[in-house]
Amino acid sequence: MAFHAQTPPAVRVAGVALSALTRLRCDTSHAEMLACLDARDDLAVAGRRLSDELYPVIGALGDHACKPGLVGLRRAVYQLRVPGEREWNPEIRARLPAALRNRVTAWLGALHDHHSRLAGLPATLESEIAEKRERLRAVTDDPHFLRALSLSSPALSEVLGKWHADPRRLPKRQSISQLVKYLARATTKTSPYSTFTVSGLGRWDPGAAATCYPAPGAAHCVLELDRPAFERVRDALANAPRLLPELTVRVNPSATVTGDDVRFLAPDSDEPVITVPASAAVLEVLRAVREHGPLTVADLGALLGRDHGNPQAARRFVDRLRTAGLLEAQLPVADQAERPFADLAGWLAEHAPTEFTSCGTLVGRVGEELGRAIPPADLDGHRARERTLRQAYAALDDAVRDLTGAAPASRPTALHESAVYGGAPVECANQEWAPALHDLNIARRWLALHDPAAPLRLVLGSFLRARFGPHARVPLLDLHRAVQEAIGSDATGFGRELKSAMDLAFRADQFMRWPSGLDRVRELQLLARKATQEILSSGVMADGTVEADPARLAALAETWPAWVVPQRSLLCYAQQVPVHGGPPWLVINSVTTGYGRARNRIHQQLRAAGETPVPLGVTEAEEGVVTAEFAGAFGIGLNRKQPTADYELDYPGAVTARPQNERLALGDLVVTLDTEHDLPRLESDALGAHVRPLHLGMMADSLLPPVARLITHVFGGTFLTNPEMALRGDTPYAGIPEEVVRGPRVRLGSVVLRRASWLVPVESVPVRGPHEQHADYLCRLIGWFREHRIPERCFVRPLTAAFFDAAQDPDALLPWVFSKSRKPQYVDAANPFLMDLIPRLAGEPQTGALLVTEALPDPADAPHDADGEQRVTEFVVEVSDA
């Protein structure tokens, strides 16, 4: 199967150089601890040997009075313990052969030296930690770090500001720990939050031999108000009676006329299907809106009143249809508006009565503050703008409540900032990337078996055939209602199958398996196990890596049934690992649907920053298929993007500015059965074409409204499976393990599908004793790392105990899924601030185990930027069918 990766990778670059974190390493103390551990290991080996040599000496004594002392000596050397006076005295020494006596004496001297070294560790460590605290104060004086911290943790930012202003105002230990934690995040992770990370669009360089990192120019910061904050204002104004006549009215895009009924999705979070009679009056209203639109509510009432001679009755009828949800009255500021507050201010100025004038002025002020460009280094300007913006929005919120009677906000207003490079921060060499992209495409085909939505497609295909027949052509809303009815009434047949498959698809939890009664679902599960075993049973390298052959896996894929359909476009978040004498590896961090998804978001941010990036072009599907994208924000700012699909999928509640001829209404969609694969297929009645619905925003697909979620997973391109999840077949995760379980690194050619990992029950993590010195505990913790072959630089993630019971109680996992503590934490054994986080993570009440993964690539191998600094870099790579 051919593929292409013509779209250049995008990148996410750590906002703070790696040197800021490495300068906090306590290398002297760490070297001393390693020397102590080495000495202890040498003493242990020598002690066991001496114990063996003492055994025959003791046996030859018979009942001699020295025998108990020699037994104690033997135990002491075996246990690395200083013998007591009764165990080591002139009489005992005299009973030993000269050579053995000399070796025991030398061993005791080495043990004394070891204890002396251990005794000096606390002072060395505390002195070095004090020095590193002062260094922490210096390295955190970085504009990118300070700016991001001011948004992510205002309280900690204030503490740090006081410390920068006065070195005597040393933060408390907990604050120091939090500062190092944030610094580790800003240097080793590429989570695109604020200026902790800077994103950019890369480009291919066909003539280059290796990837390079040119100077990308200045970074731009794009500030956004939390999307619900805007929607709260817009929706409150849209509900104001004085503004209602000026709102734009449209037919609910899910409206479907079937026989004597009109069906549509109710404006409710569960999206139930509402049915009203298709009376002549209802059909006349729908016709008038569609033929004469766009109309305001007042225009529609006047039009119907003129046609039928009773304007008041017409307005009342329109209001009833609007209240029911068949008609939508919208304040026309699009969900994808680049400057929504500015657009809202403009609309109010043109359409609102005079009592809304001051409100419009406040809306405009918020828009102006959001649109002001503040360079990343201008921290004072950023903080001043943030204060002004919060004050302006608070005044706006008060004004809106006074005008509309809206309830107070249920949560504080949040600000989100993104940083983007105007120029290309990376130039990727085609030749260097070709091997990894080839193998990544094979991984795309293998992942088709592990797509959480694959069972749902199979179950829905069988349900469609059984419920509506093999040649069915079912309106989408009728299928949605039939599915809900089956789930609600049939606990054993298709209802159970549909519910189980939907739970798996929407939660993307590989542990959620069920004994399906459908042959194809069972066959899919069998094929997935065999394909995973094909990888895991491959050859093991000297370092323990499992290395699978891409060619063998590609050949195996050719034998799979036609209904195993890979995603056409796969987006991978990955990092490069330099390989001596060969092309670099790509380590996959996560995967999702492609179609330009992540690049689109960066493109939108660049436009908001005033840049003019290269046009994205139209999102392509396979031949004979049109793409249709959701344009609704769905209450989350991450869904703001540029339109790239052939059409917009018009969805209830979404406010759009796209021309009518570029929209596909939800009510226009029908579901048929693809006879080649026996899978459900989505078509447009109006176009007579196969439709590929796409969610190209950055919000998790599982958070979409119910119908949007269903059609995206079944007919679109949702793919939330991380390869690591699919490769857990070699680890029995029936529950929290009783001891540390290691999973080897797994590599498919030039693509690392899984990093080496260690699943650690919290009971196994060393706990500091009540009177144990900090240095002694850290030394013991490093020794525990060594015992389990855990690398000194790694990432640690706490897993809630509910994680291991997710199949029994899926909802118990949700608090962990949405918590910040679930994120991997970078740890370096030479950094005591970071090592101190391990017992804290293990000690959290809900934590059942720690998942430790190797730091691959090692941050020390991070690429150098144009200024010579090392910065951790993540690539956003897309591979697609040709």
Side-chain angles (χ1 to χ4, degrees):
M1 183 183 293
F3 81 102
H4 72 263
Q6 296 175 353
T7 303
V11 290
R12 305 201 297 200
V13 182
V16 180
L18 187 63
S19 59
L21 189 63
T22 57
R23 290 174 64 190
L24 301 183
R25 288 171 54 95
C26 293
D27 290 316
T28 301
S29 302
H30 182 242
E32 281 292 295
M33 291 179 189
L34 293 181
C36 287
L37 291 172
D38 288 340
R40 186 199 64 183
D41 291 343
D42 292 343
L43 285 165
V45 171
R48 288 193 293 271
R49 188 180 302 118
L50 288 173
S51 177
D52 290 341
E53 292 185 51
L54 286 168
Y55 184 77
V57 175
I58 294 170
L61 288 176
D63 294 331
H64 196 281
C66 289
K67 186 172 183 178
L70 277 171
V71 170
L73 176 63
R74 181 171 180 260
R75 289 174 180 167
V77 296
Y78 189 85
Q79 298 170 355
L80 273 67
R81 174 174 60 80
V82 177
E85 177 63 27
R86 183 169 174 271
E87 299 164 330
W88 187 245
N89 53 52
E91 187 175 1
I92 292 290
R93 290 194 286 272
R95 290 292 170 182
L96 297 179
L100 179 56
R101 181 172 61 246
N102 291 337
R103 285 196 294 275
V104 171
T105 301
W107 184 90
L108 290 173
L111 181 63
H112 178 269
D113 292 342
H114 173 60
H115 285 165
S116 297
R117 196 166 203 169
L118 283 174
L121 265 180
T124 302
L125 178 65
E126 289 308 312
S127 173
E128 202 165 7
I129 284 178
E131 175 192 339
K132 300 305 178 181
R133 284 198 198 100
E134 286 304 309
R135 189 161 292 177
L136 175 63
R137 178 174 172 272
V139 299
T140 52
D141 194 15
D142 177 284
H144 282 263
F145 180 78
L146 292 171
R147 186 154 175 164
L149 188 66
S150 69
L151 288 176
S152 57
S153 180
L156 188 61
S157 177
E158 184 177 353
V159 169
L160 181 58
K162 292 176 180 177
W163 191 25
H164 283 160
D166 184 353
R168 295 170 298 180
R169 302 188 70 168
L170 178 68
K172 295 180 180 179
R173 182 174 178 180
Q174 181 67 19
S175 295
I176 291 288
S177 178
Q178 286 295 105
L179 283 172
V180 177
K181 186 176 180 179
Y182 272 108
L183 186 63
R185 175 183 177 186
T187 54
T188 64
K189 297 288 292 177
T190 53
S191 171
Y193 184 86
S194 189
T195 49
F196 282 145
T197 297
V198 187
S199 302
L201 301 176
R203 56 174 173 248
W204 291 116
D205 187 346
T211 296
C212 68
Y213 300 84
H220 302 288
C221 294
V222 180
L223 189 67
E224 297 174 280
L225 202 60
D226 197 24
R227 181 68 192 184
F230 170 74
E231 293 187 356
R232 168 178 162 74
V233 170
R234 185 187 67 182
D235 295 347
L237 292 172
N239 288 324
R242 290 276 285 155
L243 292 179
L244 177 62
E246 299 298 323
L247 301 184
T248 301
V249 67
R250 70 169 188 167
V251 177
N252 183 319
S254 68
T256 307
V257 180
T258 307
D260 296 331
D261 295 328
V262 180
R263 300 188 182 94
F264 57 93
L265 295 179
D268 184 89
S269 59
D270 294 331
E271 294 190 324
V273 177
I274 302 297
T275 302
V276 299
S279 64
V282 168
L283 295 179
E284 173 63 15
V285 171
L286 301 186
R287 181 199 62 77
V289 174
R290 285 169 173 159
E291 289 185 4
H292 297 280
L295 297 170
T296 65
V297 173
D299 291 339
L300 177 59
L303 174 65
L304 295 173
R306 285 195 304 271
D307 291 347
H308 301 284
N310 191 339
Q312 290 184 345
R315 284 195 294 271
R316 288 195 298 270
F317 190 63
V318 168
D319 283 342
R320 287 202 299 272
L321 295 184
R322 182 178 58 83
T323 302
L326 181 56
L327 294 181
E328 294 182 344
Q330 297 182 326
L331 200 160
V333 176
D335 285 8
Q336 296 299 331
E338 289 189 7
R339 292 175 172 80
F341 281 94
D343 290 357
L344 178 56
W347 185 88
L348 288 171
E350 184 174 352
H351 298 281
T354 55
E355 64 259 38
F356 288 85
T357 301
S358 61
C359 179
T361 301
L362 290 170
V363 171
R365 186 179 303 166
V366 171
E368 290 173 4
E369 290 301 324
L370 286 171
R372 283 204 300 126
I374 306 291
D378 187 0
L379 185 61
D380 291 338
H382 163 70
R383 286 172 172 163
R385 191 260 300 268
E386 182 184 347
R387 287 192 299 270
T388 302
L389 183 56
R390 291 188 186 278
Q391 291 167 359
Y393 183 81
L396 171 61
D397 190 56
D398 289 341
V400 169
R401 286 194 288 113
D402 289 342
L403 286 166
T404 66
S410 59
R411 63 176 186 176
T413 302
L415 293 172
H416 302 286
E417 189 172 50
S418 303
V420 287
Y421 284 123
V426 62
E427 294 177 348
C428 301
N430 296 61
Q431 183 177 357
E432 178 190 70
W433 279 71
L437 293 176
H438 173 272
D439 297 339
L440 192 58
N441 187 55
I442 294 174
R444 175 180 66 88
R445 298 169 65 188
W446 170 72
L447 283 169
L449 294 172
H450 304 280
D451 182 350
L456 178 58
R457 299 185 192 108
L458 297 177
V459 172
L460 198 59
S462 299
F463 174 72
L464 191 66
R465 176 182 290 277
R467 175 71 172 76
F468 298 98
H471 305 294
R473 190 172 182 81
V474 185
L476 175 63
L477 260 63
D478 288 0
L479 178 64
H480 170 61
R481 185 166 65 175
V483 168
Q484 296 304 313
E485 288 174 351
I487 291 174
S489 62
D490 185 357
T492 57
F494 273 115
R496 177 177 177 274
E497 294 283 350
L498 286 165
K499 184 178 187 309
S500 298
M502 290 173 76
D503 284 344
L504 172 62
F506 300 158
R507 297 181 188 276
D509 183 353
Q510 291 299 303
F511 300 123
M512 295 180 67
R513 291 285 184 254
W514 76 96
S516 176
L518 299 180
D519 290 342
R520 286 202 301 175
V521 174
R522 291 199 299 267
E523 184 179 0
L524 173 68
Q525 293 171 347
L526 178 62
L527 289 172
R529 287 195 297 271
K530 287 183 176 179
T532 294
Q533 193 57 37
E534 171 66 27
I535 292 178
L536 294 175
S537 62
S538 302
V540 179
M541 307 300 290
D543 63 355
T545 299
V546 175
E547 184 177 9
D549 182 3
R552 285 187 60 180
L553 196 61
L556 182 63
E558 297 297 331
T559 68
W560 296 338
W563 44 260
V564 179
V565 183
Q567 293 293 339
R568 183 180 184 274
S569 179
L570 188 70
L571 186 72
C572 301
Y573 295 88
Q575 291 174 265
Q576 272 194 333
V577 176
V579 177
H580 180 69
W585 298 341
L586 274 184
V587 185
I588 297 180
N589 292 334
S590 61
V591 296
T592 186
T593 308
Y595 297 99
R597 191 175 195 169
R599 288 180 62 86
N600 197 321
R601 173 67 174 163
I602 298 173
H603 196 279
Q604 185 270 338
Q605 291 168 339
L606 285 169
R607 286 174 56 90
E611 293 282 343
T612 53
V614 176
L616 284 167
V618 177
T619 299
E620 297 180 357
E622 54 268 48
E623 186 177 352
V625 180
V626 297
T627 56
E629 62 185 320
F630 294 105
F634 299 118
I636 295 181
L638 290 173
N639 288 328
R640 292 178 61 196
K641 55 184 176 52
Q642 296 297 307
T644 56
D646 298 315
Y647 294 89
E648 177 183 312
L649 198 53
D650 212 355
Y651 202 84
V655 184
T656 179
R658 199 152 172 178
Q660 187 65 46
N661 63 348
E662 295 181 7
R663 298 186 226 162
L664 293 180
L666 210 62
D668 173 58
L669 301 178
V670 295
V671 181
T672 64
L673 197 62
D674 176 1
T675 54
E676 179 184 357
H677 304 100
D678 210 30
L679 295 172
R681 188 166 86 168
L682 194 67
E683 297 183 3
S684 163
D685 254 346
L687 298 177
H690 181 186
V691 177
R692 176 78 63 204
L694 299 171
H695 167 52
L696 299 179
M698 298 301 290
M699 177 182 79
D701 301 58
S702 58
L703 299 179
L704 289 168
V707 175
R709 188 170 62 217
L710 176 67
I711 64 176
T712 300
H713 282 74
V714 174
F715 308 106
T718 296
F719 212 136
L720 297 176
T721 297
N722 190 302
E724 180 182 334
M725 295 290 290
L727 287 167
R728 287 184 178 167
D730 65 338
T731 307
Y733 279 9
I736 300 174
E738 295 182 357
E739 57 186 20
V740 178
V741 177
R742 181 180 184 272
R745 181 193 302 165
V746 179
R747 181 162 56 86
L748 179 69
S750 296
V751 174
V752 177
L753 299 175
R754 184 179 75 180
R755 294 172 170 88
S757 64
W758 292 258
L759 185 63
V760 181
V762 291
E763 294 80 6
S764 297
V765 179
V767 177
R768 183 175 175 181
H771 304 294
E772 188 175 17
Q773 294 268 22
H774 186 205
D776 294 337
Y777 171 69
L778 287 180
C779 191
R780 188 159 58 88
L781 188 57
I782 293 172
W784 178 80
F785 268 50
R786 177 182 289 191
E787 175 188 351
H788 294 286
R789 295 185 295 159
I790 298 174
E792 291 200 334
R793 289 188 289 274
C794 58
F795 287 90
V796 180
R797 169 183 285 185
L799 301 180
T800 175
F803 184 86
F804 300 90
D805 297 322
Q808 287 72 37
D809 184 9
D811 290 334
L813 195 59
L814 294 180
W816 175 81
V817 169
F818 291 102
S819 69
K820 291 184 178 180
S821 62
R822 67 178 176 83
K823 297 180 179 180
Q825 172 63 54
Y826 178 69
V827 168
D828 181 351
N831 187 323
F833 305 104
L834 294 175
M835 289 293 281
D836 286 344
L837 295 174
I838 293 177
R840 294 180 191 173
L841 294 173
E844 292 177 355
Q846 302 303 319
T847 302
L850 299 180
L851 181 62
V852 181
T853 56
E854 63 175 329
L856 185 75
D858 191 306
D861 292 328
H864 291 78
D865 63 16
D867 295 328
E869 288 278 13
Q870 284 186 288
R871 294 183 186 270
V872 170
T873 302
E874 181 181 53
F875 295 88
V876 186
V877 188
E878 192 172 324
V879 291
S880 306
D881 280 344

